[in-house]
Amino acid sequence: MPLITKSDAQKSVSNMRDYEATYKGFTWEAAKSEFVHMPSGGMNIAYSAVDAQVEKFSRGKKTALRWCSKSGEQSDFSYAKLFEQTNRFANGLARLGIGKGDGFFALMPRQPELYIGMLGALKRQCVFSPLFSAFGPEPIKARMDLGCCKVLLTTAHLYKRKIVTIKESLKDLRCVIIADELDQSLVGIPGVVSFRDVIEHSDADYITRSTDPEDNALLHFTSGTTGLPKGAIHVHGAVLSHYVTGRFALDLKEEDVFWCTADPGWVTGTSYGIISPLTNGVTMIVDEGEFDAERWYEILDKQKVTVWYTAPTAIRMMMKMGEDLVKQFDTSSLKLIASVGEPLNPEAIRWGLKAFGLPIHDNWWQTETGGIMIANFPSMDIKPGSMGKPLPGVTATILKNKNADYVEAEIDEEGELALKVPWPSMFRGYLGQEERYKKCFTSGGWYLSGDLARKDSDNYFWFIGRADDVIKSAGHLIGPFEVESALIEHEAIAEAAVIGKPDPMLMEVVKAYVTLNDGYLDSENLRREIMGFARKKLGPAVAPREIEVKDSLPRTRSGKIMRRLLKARELGLPEGDISTLEIDPTVAKVKNYD
Ligand code: ATP
Ligand code: MG
C-alpha cells in the first residue's frame, strides 16, 4: 500500500508540526522544567490531572469526564467536580488510616467511582492497581496478594460474586469500598464501607502532599499474551510521558473531545483513558458499555468525538460489520484516529480511509514502557504497516546478538526492538521478580522489548512479531504479522493468527487459523483458494501450509490474539496461565464470572 502523505495544511495544525526538528531539539529535562509542578516542587499524577487543571489553568467549569452509561444515560463531571470529589475521597482514605505506599486496587466496571477513586488514591499517595472486572476470584487474589492490596474499590455485585469467597485469605486487605449503595446484606460487615460514606463524611479541601517523582504510583499487570502476567511498577514522574505523548502522538488540544476505548484494567485505559487526556485538559468520554459497532458510531456522532484511540481487534470487528453501517452516522468531527495493542494491518488503514475518510495512526508501546514510544505522528507521512518513528525524547534501535553481547543491527535487518534508558514512564520493576527485571536491560543501557522489528532507511520501525511467536522454517525467520496481514486481504477472511507447527524436515511450518467474514463458509475449496492466494502474495516458503477455520480466536481481555494458546492446543500441551483470556463460549474450561 502506498505512502499516505500529509499536506502542509494538516501539518500546520498539529501540536508537533515538524517531527525532525522537534526530535532534534527535545529533552526530557526541558519538558520537565516546563511542566506544571506541585507548589511544593514534586510531581503527582492526580495533581497534574486534576488540581493543576483547576488551580493553574482555570478549567474548573470545563467538562473533564463525560460518562455514558450502559443504558444510555449521560453524566458530566467538570474539572472542579473531580477536584472536589477526589479531595473528599483522599480525606476519606486518610480517615480509614490509608496512606502513602498502601496498595489500592480497583475491580470496577467503567463507572465514575473508578475514576474518582483512582485519582483520590493517587492524591493520598497510594499505589493504584486496576483489575479487569471480568477476572475470576483466583487471578484477583494472586494480583491482590502480590500488590499487597490494603483497599479494594468494587461494586456490591462484584464483591459478592468474586471477593466474598477469597476475602479471608487476602493477606493485606483491610478495607473494601463499595461503589454503589450498601444493601442490607453488606451493612455491618467489618471493613466494608460505601463510597458515599467515604465521600460524604469527608472534607472537600485536601492538599496533595509533596510527592517525589520517583515515588511508586501504579502497578499494572501485563496482558498475559505470552505467559504469566507480570506486575510492572510505575512512578509518579511517568505523568510527564503521559502528557507529552498526549500532545505529540494523540495531538490533544484543549478543545478536543477524546475517547480512548480501552478499559483501565489494561495500561492503555489508565495512561490514555485517564491520565493523558486530563493532564492535557481535554474532555474525555468514558463508555461503560462493551464493544458494539453501532453503539460506538453513535458515541462518535453524538459526542462529537475529535480524537479516538482504539485497538486493532476493535477495528477488525468494525471492518467485519462493513462500512455502510458507519455511513449511517455523522463522524465528521473526527480529526485523528490512533490504534495500539497489536500490529495494525495495512488493510485496516485502507478501511479507515474508506469508512471515516481518515487514516488510522498506529503506535507501539507496552505495559513496561508506560506510554507511547513509537508512533505515526499526525504531521508525519504514514507508511501503512509501519509503527512509525520514535517519540521525541526516545531513542529506539534494533539490536542483534553478537558474541554473547548486543550490537545495533543494520538498516532493514531484523532484530529485537530496544529503547535507550531511561524515559519518565519506564517501569521501575517487575513486582517480586528482580532478576527478570534486570534481564530486560543490556550492559549498554538498552531496554529489550521482547518484540522483533526492523528499521528502514527513513527511521520508520516495522513490527515483525514477538520473539516468542516468530516461526523458523527451512532457514527462514517468518514474522506472523506479515503472513496475517496478507491473509486478511483475502475477501473471505476477517481475522488471522499464525503459529509455527513443528515439522521433521523444515523445523516448523506455518499454520494459520482464520475466522471468516459473513457470507463465507468453511470448505476444502475455500481453504485451498486461500492457500493459493497467500502463496502468490508471500511465496511458498512463507505462506501457510495448513489453514484451520475457527468461529473465534482466543484473545486477551485487552484484545490481543493469544498465539501461544493456539500453539499449545495444536500440540496438546498445557495451556499455561489463562487468567487474562477473554471469555470465549467455545472454551468450556473457562468459567464465566461476569
Ligand atoms: P505479556 O507481556 O504478559 O505477554 P503483552 O506483551 O501482550 O503481555 P502488553 O504490555 O499489554 O502485554 O502489550 C505490549 C505488546 O503488545 C508489545 O510488546 C507488542 O508485542 C504488542 N503491541 C503493542 N502495540 C503494538 C503495535 N502497534 N504493533 C505491534 N505490536 C504491538
Ligand atoms: Mg509483554
Side-chain angles (χ1 to χ4, degrees):
M1 192 180 167
L3 190 74
I4 298 171
T5 52
K6 302 288 177 68
S7 67
D8 286 344
Q10 278 168 316
K11 288 180 192 175
S12 70
V13 295
S14 301
N15 285 335
M16 178 167 56
R17 289 169 198 190
D18 181 340
Y19 170 81
E20 303 301 337
T22 310
Y23 190 88
K24 231 187 229 161
F26 184 93
T27 64
W28 286 113
E29 290 68 33
K32 193 173 174 187
S33 67
E34 282 165 24
F35 192 67
V36 176
H37 294 262
M38 303 174 74
S40 52
M43 272 175 136
N44 181 296
I45 292 173
Y47 173 81
S48 303
V50 183
D51 304 11
Q53 301 304 318
V54 177
E55 293 173 346
K56 304 276 175 191
F57 301 111
S58 310
R59 293 183 178 131
K61 290 204 178 107
K62 186 178 176 175
T63 300
L65 187 165
R66 169 163 295 165
W67 181 63
C68 306
S69 83
K70 247 186 213 166
S71 54
E73 301 148 45
Q74 187 180 304
S75 45
D76 283 0
F77 291 75
S78 64
Y79 277 96
K81 177 94 176 158
L82 263 193
F83 181 53
E84 182 243 348
Q85 296 270 297
T86 52
N87 279 352
R88 288 186 192 276
F89 194 81
N91 278 322
L93 289 178
R95 260 191 308 117
L96 292 165
I98 303 301
K100 186 171 177 180
D102 287 342
F104 180 103
F105 277 57
L107 178 73
M108 284 287 297
R110 288 181 294 281
Q111 291 173 356
E113 292 79 5
L114 165 60
Y115 299 80
I116 295 163
M118 169 197 165
L119 294 163
L122 288 175
K123 284 189 174 181
R124 191 72 201 135
Q125 298 169 304
C126 297
V127 178
F128 174 73
S129 188
L131 298 173
F132 278 106
S133 59
F135 276 154
E138 290 105 66
I140 292 172
K141 176 175 161 47
R143 286 162 177 78
M144 282 173 73
D145 279 347
L146 184 66
C148 301
C149 170
K150 253 194 186 167
V151 189
L152 174 69
L153 173 65
T154 189
T155 62
H157 172 75
L158 291 169
Y159 175 78
K160 287 180 199 167
R161 290 214 64 175
K162 305 185 185 194
I163 304 300
V164 167
T165 53
I166 54 169
K167 194 173 164 218
E168 290 312 312
S169 68
L170 291 166
K171 62 183 179 61
D172 302 291
L173 188 67
R174 288 241 308 267
C175 176
V176 178
I177 300 174
I178 303 288
D180 33 13
E181 291 302 311
L182 293 191
D183 61 28
Q184 274 313 309
S185 69
L186 296 178
V187 173
I189 299 181
V192 175
V193 293
S194 79
F195 184 88
R196 195 157 62 125
D197 277 351
V198 175
I199 294 265
E200 274 187 2
H201 300 128
S202 305
D203 206 86
D205 292 323
Y206 182 86
I207 295 180
T208 307
R209 283 221 195 110
S210 171
T211 309
D212 191 296
E214 281 303 308
D215 281 346
N216 289 345
L218 305 164
L219 169 65
H220 278 299
F221 289 91
T222 60
S223 292
T225 315
T226 54
L228 195 67
K230 298 144 275 185
I233 304 161
H234 290 279
V235 295
H236 277 279
V239 68
L240 190 59
S241 292
H242 300 139
Y243 169 73
V244 166
T245 50
R247 262 183 71 71
F248 287 165
L250 302 173
D251 207 28
L252 294 178
K253 303 190 185 84
E254 192 172 3
E255 63 275 15
D256 278 319
V257 177
F258 173 71
W259 183 24
C260 168
T261 60
D263 186 274
W266 176 36
V267 66
T268 304
T270 305
S271 294
Y272 295 98
I274 307 177
I275 305 169
S276 183
L278 294 180
T279 52
N280 277 285
V282 306
T283 294
M284 65 178 199
I285 303 294
V286 171
D287 175 30
E288 190 192 14
E290 295 309 321
F291 174 81
D292 171 338
E294 216 169 319
R295 179 190 167 88
W296 279 26
Y297 301 148
E298 204 179 301
I299 290 177
L300 293 175
D301 179 339
K302 200 169 145 203
Q303 303 301 342
K304 304 273 165 271
V305 173
T306 56
V307 182
W308 188 27
Y309 196 24
T310 188
T313 327
I315 295 166
R316 288 191 298 263
M317 287 198 269
M318 288 185 270
M319 287 166 72
K320 202 171 170 189
M321 304 290 290
E323 73 214 55
D324 288 348
L325 185 61
V326 185
K327 304 285 184 214
Q328 293 171 21
F329 297 84
D330 176 8
T331 59
S332 61
S333 304
L334 274 176
K335 276 181 346 196
L336 180 76
I337 310 177
S339 156
V340 70
E342 283 194 304
L344 186 70
N345 318 90
E347 187 66 14
I349 298 180
R350 213 183 331 250
W351 184 79
L353 281 167
K354 274 195 293 182
F356 299 101
L358 293 171
I360 302 170
H361 294 72
D362 186 23
N363 58 60
W364 175 94
W365 58 288
Q366 308 178 301
T367 308
E368 289 86 342
T369 70
I372 297 168
M373 295 283 111
I374 295 180
N376 286 281
F377 297 95
S379 59
M380 221 171 77
D381 295 342
I382 295 178
K383 292 190 184 187
S386 160
M387 305 186 284
K389 295 189 185 190
L391 176 80
V394 167
T395 307
T397 197
I398 304 294
L399 294 184
K400 60 179 183 182
N401 250 316
K402 197 172 177 190
N403 306 330
D405 207 352
Y406 286 94
V407 292
E408 290 193 51
E410 305 294 321
I411 297 294
D412 281 330
E413 200 182 357
E414 293 175 2
E416 185 160 353
L417 174 57
L419 306 169
K420 194 86 190 169
V421 295
W423 61 92
S425 61
M426 187 181 94
F427 70 138
R428 301 298 199 269
Y430 280 136
L431 201 59
Q433 292 183 290
E434 212 173 306
E435 275 311 303
R436 184 162 196 175
Y437 181 68
K438 280 192 200 144
K439 278 198 190 133
C440 294
F441 302 92
T442 71
S443 55
W446 293 99
Y447 162 68
L448 295 162
S449 70
D451 285 343
L452 298 186
R454 66 182 173 83
K455 181 175 80 165
D456 71 16
S457 52
D458 297 324
N459 208 28
Y460 280 73
F461 284 73
W462 299 77
F463 184 78
I464 292 169
R466 292 162 183 271
D468 293 12
D469 291 337
V470 165
I471 301 160
K472 295 170 198 85
S473 184
H476 297 275
L477 262 190
I478 301 173
F481 176 46
E482 184 192 5
V483 183
E484 292 162 6
S485 284
L487 285 169
I488 72 162
E489 282 180 34
H490 189 281
E491 58 182 10
I493 296 181
E495 279 202 290
V498 305
I499 62 157
K501 187 175 167 177
D503 180 89
M505 295 283 289
L506 303 171
M507 204 160 146
E508 286 184 314
V509 289
V510 178
K511 170 161 184 184
Y513 299 85
V514 299
T515 63
L516 299 181
N517 279 320
D518 292 345
Y520 292 90
L521 285 176
D522 182 16
S523 73
E524 178 85 43
N525 266 350
L526 178 67
R527 275 177 272 136
R528 210 172 307 131
E529 191 204 305
I530 294 171
M531 277 203 277
F533 175 86
R535 256 199 302 273
K536 234 185 254 157
K537 289 213 153 250
L538 299 162
V542 177
R545 299 280 173 109
E546 203 182 315
I547 293 197
E548 186 174 327
V549 173
K550 311 250 313 156
D551 290 337
S552 65
L553 298 175
R555 63 180 84 252
T556 65
R557 292 183 197 284
S558 52
K560 294 154 192 280
I561 296 173
M562 292 171 96
R563 293 175 192 78
R564 72 169 161 97
L565 211 57
L566 289 168
K567 190 157 181 170
R569 287 174 186 169
E570 176 73 40
L571 305 181
L573 296 171
E575 293 190 342
D577 183 275
I578 50 166
S579 60
T580 61
L581 179 68
E582 193 185 54
I583 303 301
D584 175 350
T586 59
V587 185
K589 275 191 212 156
V590 180
K591 231 175 170 171
N592 189 346
Y593 285 103
D594 282 329

Coordinates of all heavy atoms in Angstrom, one line a residue, residues 222-226 230 366-368 430 447 449-451 466 560, ligand 2:
T222 N 0.7 -7.0 33.0 CA 0.8 -7.1 31.6 C -0.4 -8.0 31.1 O -1.0 -8.6 31.9 CB 2.1 -7.7 31.1 OG1 2.2 -9.1 31.7 CG2 3.4 -6.9 31.6
S223 N -0.5 -8.0 29.8 CA -1.7 -8.7 29.2 C -1.7 -10.2 29.3 O -2.8 -10.8 29.1 CB -1.9 -8.3 27.8 OG -2.2 -6.9 27.7
G224 N -0.6 -10.8 29.6 CA -0.5 -12.2 29.7 C -0.6 -12.9 28.3 O -1.0 -14.1 28.2
T225 N -0.2 -12.2 27.3 CA -0.3 -12.8 25.9 C 0.7 -13.9 25.7 O 0.5 -14.9 25.1 CB 0.0 -11.7 24.9 OG1 -0.7 -10.5 25.2 CG2 -0.4 -12.1 23.5
T226 N 1.9 -13.7 26.3 CA 3.0 -14.7 26.1 C 3.2 -15.6 27.3 O 4.0 -16.5 27.2 CB 4.3 -13.9 25.8 OG1 4.6 -13.0 26.8 CG2 4.3 -13.2 24.4
K230 N 3.0 -10.1 34.3 CA 4.0 -9.6 35.2 C 3.4 -8.3 35.7 O 2.7 -7.6 35.0 CB 5.3 -9.3 34.4 CG 5.9 -10.5 33.8 CD 6.6 -10.3 32.5 CE 5.6 -10.4 31.3 NZ 6.1 -10.2 30.0
Q366 N 4.2 -0.6 25.4 CA 4.0 -1.8 26.2 C 3.6 -1.4 27.7 O 3.9 -0.2 28.0 CB 5.3 -2.6 26.4 CG 6.0 -3.0 25.1 CD 7.2 -3.8 25.4 OE1 8.1 -3.3 26.1 NE2 7.3 -5.0 24.9
T367 N 3.1 -2.3 28.4 CA 2.9 -2.0 29.9 C 4.2 -1.5 30.5 O 4.2 -0.5 31.3 CB 2.5 -3.3 30.6 OG1 1.4 -3.9 29.9 CG2 2.0 -3.0 32.0
E368 N 5.3 -2.1 30.1 CA 6.6 -1.7 30.7 C 7.0 -0.3 30.3 O 7.7 0.3 31.1 CB 7.7 -2.7 30.2 CG 7.6 -4.1 30.7 CD 6.6 -5.0 29.9 OE1 5.8 -4.5 29.2 OE2 6.7 -6.3 30.1
Y430 N 9.6 -5.3 38.0 CA 8.5 -6.3 37.9 C 8.3 -6.8 39.4 O 9.3 -7.3 40.0 CB 8.9 -7.6 37.1 CG 8.9 -7.4 35.6 CD1 9.9 -7.9 34.8 CD2 7.8 -6.9 35.0 CE1 9.9 -7.8 33.4 CE2 7.7 -6.8 33.6 CZ 8.8 -7.3 32.8 OH 8.7 -7.2 31.5
Y447 N 16.9 -1.1 26.9 CA 15.8 -1.9 27.4 C 15.4 -2.8 26.2 O 15.1 -2.3 25.1 CB 14.6 -1.1 27.9 CG 13.3 -1.8 27.9 CD1 13.2 -2.9 28.9 CD2 12.3 -1.6 27.0 CE1 12.0 -3.6 28.9 CE2 11.1 -2.4 27.1 CZ 11.0 -3.4 28.0 OH 9.8 -4.2 28.0
S449 N 12.8 -5.1 24.4 CA 11.3 -5.1 24.4 C 10.7 -6.5 24.3 O 9.6 -6.8 24.6 CB 10.7 -4.3 23.3 OG 11.0 -4.9 22.1
G450 N 11.5 -7.5 23.8 CA 11.0 -8.8 23.5 C 10.2 -8.9 22.2 O 9.7 -9.9 21.8
D451 N 10.1 -7.8 21.5 CA 9.5 -7.8 20.1 C 10.6 -7.7 19.0 O 11.6 -7.0 19.2 CB 8.6 -6.5 20.0 CG 7.3 -6.6 20.8 OD1 6.9 -7.7 21.2 OD2 6.7 -5.6 21.0
R466 N 6.4 -11.0 18.0 CA 7.0 -11.2 19.3 C 8.1 -12.2 19.2 O 7.9 -13.2 18.4 CB 6.0 -11.6 20.4 CG 5.0 -10.6 20.7 CD 3.8 -11.3 21.3 NE 2.7 -10.3 21.6 CZ 2.6 -9.6 22.7 NH1 3.5 -9.8 23.7 NH2 1.6 -8.8 22.8
K560 N -5.7 -8.9 22.6 CA -4.6 -9.5 21.8 C -4.8 -11.0 21.5 O -5.1 -11.7 22.4 CB -3.3 -9.3 22.6 CG -2.9 -7.8 22.8 CD -2.0 -7.7 24.0 CE -1.9 -6.3 24.4 NZ -0.9 -5.6 23.7
Ligands
MG2 MG 4.8 -8.1 27.1

